[in-house]
């Protein structure tokens, strides 16, 4: 495991050179990328102290799924900083409603976010778009839980099967990434960030999740649920190291909680 670093080496994003006839895989137009970086990186550095590990686990080229836990509406931005510094532009799956917000919707569309219409027949369309991005060589940031965790102790919940389905369909690696601290900056349900004192944002990326035992199997529900459980277990293991605590034996299931 790499040693923690408060100020990891800056890694330039992959060069623009691509195979002949290929667009910049999953990356926005250069001007929009530059504008986002100029705004997000200084803001991130102002808001948080970094403690990042495992950046060497993130492949610099090729289709890639980053599977992460979800603690706050602020963590997509903070994780994007981590991924950018490690050579990848994250394609984020965002609520479809955000694309309808004036100006914001235009910006996130330009930054290559994929709209997700939850609870509708159009939800599968977002997975189709994400699958094509992966096949084109993009890095897609997934939150397999589907929403911010409702676990009382903020451990990862049981996951949804979308990330596993795309991983098995495309064969791209799944890198489990856990983080801690975003919930202190912007707790769930709050609209105003808690800026002071300056928060520490810890990130740890692990080795690719081994999904080889599912290769060639039909993508029925049981297979996808087992693969998803493996992905969530890998994320939880990374978070347990960050928190230096023992994770629950069984992940929180909001359906069971609602029925209880």
């Amino acid at each position: 495991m790499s040693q923690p670093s408060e100020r990891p080496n800056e890694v330039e994003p992959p060069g623009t050179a691509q195979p002949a006839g290929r667009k910049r895989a999953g990356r926005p137009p250069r001007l929009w990328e530059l504008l986002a970086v100029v705004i997000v990186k200084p803001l991130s550095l102002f808001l948080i102290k970094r403690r990042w590990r495992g950046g060497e686990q993130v492949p610099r080229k090729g289709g890639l799924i980053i599977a992460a836990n979800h603690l706050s509406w602020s963590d997509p931005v903070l994780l994007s900083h981590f991924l950018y510094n490690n050579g990848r532009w994250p394609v984020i799956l965002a609520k479809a409603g955000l694309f309808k917000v004036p100006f914001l919707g235009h910006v996130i569309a330009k930054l290559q976010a994929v709209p997700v219409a939850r609870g509708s027949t159009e939800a599968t369309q977002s997975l189709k778009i994400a699958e094509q991005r992966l096949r084109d060589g993009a890095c897609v940031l997934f939150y397999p839980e589907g929403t911010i965790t409702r676990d009382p102790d903020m451990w990862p919940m049981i996951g949804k099967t979308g990330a596993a389905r795309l991983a098995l369909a495309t064969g791209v690696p799944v890198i489990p990434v856990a983080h801690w601290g975003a919930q202190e900056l912007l707790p769930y349900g709050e609209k105003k960030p808690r800026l002071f004192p300056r928060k520490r944002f810890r990130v740890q990326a692990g080795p690719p999740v081994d999904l080889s035992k599912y290769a060639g199997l039909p993508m029925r529900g049981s297979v996808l649920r087992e693969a998803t459980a493996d992905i969530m277990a890998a994320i939880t293991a990374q978070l347990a190291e960050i928190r230096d605590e023992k994770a629950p034996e069984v992940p929180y299931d909001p359906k069971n909680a609602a029925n209880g």
Side-chain angles (χ1 to χ4, degrees):
M1 181 181 296
S2 62
Q3 294 299 313
S5 171
E6 295 293 334
R7 296 181 61 83
N9 292 332
E10 296 283 329
V11 179
E12 291 299 321
T16 57
Q18 298 284 347
R22 195 178 199 184
K23 297 179 180 179
R24 289 162 28 106
R27 302 183 78 95
R30 290 182 180 84
L31 177 59
W32 283 95
E33 180 173 323
L34 177 61
L35 288 173
V37 171
V38 166
I39 293 172
V40 170
K41 289 187 71 172
L43 181 62
S44 174
L45 292 171
F46 169 75
L47 293 174
I48 61 166
K49 301 174 185 178
R50 296 178 294 168
R51 190 177 181 87
W52 294 348
R53 291 177 171 174
E56 73 281 356
Q57 300 287 356
V58 180
R60 270 40 175 188
K61 297 180 181 179
L64 171 67
I65 291 174
I66 297 292
N69 60 316
H70 202 359
L71 298 173
S72 164
W73 296 124
S74 66
D75 61 55
V77 175
L78 301 179
L79 279 179
S80 294
H81 186 183
F82 167 76
L83 292 170
Y84 184 84
N85 271 32
N86 284 287
R88 300 307 300 253
W89 180 271
V91 173
I92 299 174
L93 278 68
K95 287 183 178 180
L98 294 176
F99 289 78
K100 299 178 182 179
V101 177
F103 182 69
L104 175 63
H106 179 71
V107 170
I108 61 177
K110 286 292 187 181
L111 296 179
Q112 299 298 300
V114 176
V116 179
R118 295 176 180 173
S120 77
T121 56
E122 297 178 3
T124 56
Q125 183 61 27
S126 63
L127 289 181
K128 291 180 180 178
I129 296 172
E131 179 176 349
Q132 186 57 56
R133 299 280 180 87
L134 290 170
R135 294 188 185 281
D136 289 342
C139 169
V140 178
L141 173 59
F142 264 94
Y143 291 108
E145 297 163 277
T147 187
I148 293 173
T149 184
R150 302 298 193 267
D151 180 90
D153 295 318
M154 307 202 77
W155 290 100
M157 301 187 294
I158 190 170
K160 301 183 184 300
T161 60
R165 181 183 295 275
L166 290 186
L168 297 179
T170 62
V172 304
V174 179
I175 303 299
V177 174
H179 61 88
W180 190 250
Q183 77 281 3
E184 297 175 357
L185 176 64
L186 184 64
Y188 173 69
E190 295 189 15
K191 296 182 179 180
K192 294 183 179 180
R194 300 178 180 180
L195 301 180
F196 303 103
R198 193 161 164 239
K199 307 303 185 291
R200 185 182 301 277
F201 184 62
R202 290 176 282 177
V203 181
Q204 182 164 309
V209 182
D210 184 3
L211 300 177
S212 60
K213 62 183 177 181
Y214 306 108
L217 296 180
M219 283 198 284
R220 55 178 181 266
S222 59
V223 170
L224 294 174
R225 286 191 294 272
E226 289 180 22
T228 298
D230 288 350
I231 292 171
M232 296 309 302
I235 298 171
T236 303
Q238 299 301 317
L239 184 58
E241 288 195 30
I242 291 176
R243 294 174 58 169
D244 194 22
E245 299 176 27
K246 184 178 180 181
E249 294 291 336
V250 179
Y252 183 83
D253 187 342
K255 292 182 180 179
N256 292 341
N259 293 333

